[in-house]
Amino acid sequence: MAVEKHRPKKQKSKPEKGIQEIEIPEEADEDGLCHLRIDIRRALPGRRLDKYLAGRLGRFSRTALQQYIREGAVTVNGKVVKPSYTIQTGDVIEMLLPEPEEQIIEPEPIPLEIIYEDDDIIVINKQAGLIVHPAKGNPSGTLLNALAYHLQSSKASNEHAIDLDDLPDRGDRYRAGIVHRLDKDTTGVMVLAKSELALWRLGRQFEHRRVHKTYRAIVHGLVELDEDVIDAPIGAHPHIRERYAVRYSTEKDISLSPSGKQISKPAITRYRVLERLSHTGCIAGGFTFIELYPKTGRTHQLRVHMSFIGHPIVGDRTYGGGPIYQSQLDGVNDQAYGPIITRQALHAAVIEFQHPRTLKMVRFEAPLPEDFRSALKALNSKIVDNL
């Protein structure tokens, strides 16, 4: 089959609900910069400039837009303002921004286990090591590259099928159809939107915490309580980039924050012990096989919360977890052989939500991957064969 590049269609972003605008004139100069203008006829109260533009333009991240605003590339009524400026009725926003890079998603024959698919959604069982969407640092080898290949193959045999260009994207092709994500080494069930209706209705369900997810994990140590709730806010790590931590915001923290807002957000996780694995050879402390039920959806939430209570997830080196080798179980400390599980032992087992078109509750499950099952067997699990 010939492989074709999927190039983004020229789409106009829709004005945000509650904000009326005139049409945006756009032209590119020879210097490669785009001149944009938005006239606000009626604005929502309390709407920040950076947040509004990130949603309105789509192709620029909020962080990048904040930098452009600070440097004067974005002005309001001819004046330089802060990213936190509140948009007012009658404002004229003018921008001189770089021409965005073309976002091309190459179809790649990456294995994709499809659990369910219809005209609105596609549910997959994501394997370990697969990043969800492309970015500057990883333009290929992602779930979206695999999805592009799958949709291209389907369209070759079904004239009514869609391709990647038809997926809804909120103005960012690198996130086409994505309503939630799993970390690179987290396995399990994940749902993507194939229609605008699905993207909007699923997004609302995630926003209002009406999507129910069940994860399974192997953690270090013997968890004391059979069941408990971890209610601890999460924010960016104060010293280590790309890490997160439990952070209780203080008045001092808020005063130091560039936006003047809290540096952390509420995060709630309920967990239940499935099995304590204390007979594990020479490894002190043992392990626990647990189920996790996130009530919120913060980045790295389950990993951060389990590390916070002293039971990091096995294989999660970022938050204090270590891999399991057969040499550890054999009592050999001076060498590492027989890797049993070296990636984070976290699996999205179940997802439940209201189907965006039928409005009926649906439930999808993904079985434990082989390396996860092998780890449980090596740790003398008594229940793994019943899962």
Side-chain angles (χ1 to χ4, degrees), residues 51-103:
K51 189 172 182 180
Y52 164 68
L53 290 179
R56 179 64 177 89
L57 300 178
R59 60 200 187 191
F60 298 102
S61 70
R62 187 175 171 187
T63 301
L65 284 166
Q66 288 173 343
Q67 187 64 29
Y68 296 142
I69 294 168
R70 292 189 186 100
E71 293 179 357
V74 177
T75 62
V76 179
N77 305 323
K79 298 179 180 179
V80 177
V81 297
K82 294 181 179 180
S84 58
Y85 173 84
T86 301
I87 296 174
Q88 306 292 326
T89 299
D91 280 346
V92 176
I93 304 169
E94 294 182 282
M95 294 159 277
L96 187 62
L97 301 176
E99 183 74 29
E101 295 181 6
E102 188 176 21
Q103 294 176 315

Side-chain angles (χ1 to χ4, degrees), residues 181-369:
R181 293 180 292 180
L182 295 178
D183 294 336
K184 176 182 177 181
D185 285 326
T186 299
T187 56
V189 66
M190 183 175 171
V191 60
L192 297 103
K194 293 177 64 178
S195 66
E196 288 285 355
L197 177 72
L199 186 68
W200 179 74
R201 286 185 172 171
L202 288 173
R204 292 282 290 175
Q205 289 184 64
F206 274 98
E207 181 182 355
H208 293 286
R209 303 178 188 177
R210 296 199 298 265
V211 177
H212 306 293
K213 294 177 285 183
T214 300
Y215 290 76
R216 287 176 176 170
I218 306 172
V219 301
H220 289 275
L222 301 178
V223 177
E224 181 180 2
L225 300 177
D226 290 341
E227 189 170 347
D228 198 11
V229 174
I230 305 169
D231 186 349
I234 292 176
H237 195 284
H239 307 298
I240 304 174
R241 189 174 179 176
E242 297 182 353
R243 278 188 58 176
Y244 295 83
V246 168
R247 301 189 67 180
Y248 293 93
S249 299
T250 64
E251 290 185 7
K252 181 179 179 181
D253 291 328
I254 296 172
S255 67
L256 293 175
S257 171
S259 65
K261 292 189 175 182
Q262 291 186 178
I263 57 172
S264 59
K265 295 181 179 180
I268 302 172
T269 302
R270 182 171 70 88
Y271 71 80
R272 181 172 68 93
V273 170
L274 297 178
E275 187 177 22
R276 294 180 178 87
L277 305 163
S278 57
H279 304 292
T280 52
C282 71
I283 302 178
F287 299 88
T288 305
F289 181 30
I290 61 172
E291 276 191 345
L292 297 152
Y293 316 97
K295 301 301 180 184
T296 52
R298 308 304 174 206
T299 303
H300 295 184
Q301 177 175 317
L302 303 181
R303 300 162 63 189
V304 171
H305 272 174
M306 293 314 298
S307 179
F308 176 68
I309 66 170
H311 297 284
I313 294 172
V314 162
D316 187 3
R317 294 176 176 85
T318 300
Y319 295 105
I324 300 176
Y325 288 87
Q326 185 61 46
S327 54
Q328 295 172 292
L329 303 182
D330 292 343
V332 178
N333 296 318
D334 59 349
Q335 57 181 301
Y337 61 79
I340 294 173
I341 188 164
T342 56
R343 56 97 179 175
Q344 64 202 31
L346 180 62
H347 177 71
V350 179
I351 190 168
E352 298 174 89
F353 56 89
Q354 188 180 53
H355 190 283
R357 189 168 298 275
T358 68
L359 304 183
K360 294 181 179 179
M361 288 299 297
V362 291
R363 172 188 170 98
F364 300 100
E365 298 185 40
L368 289 174

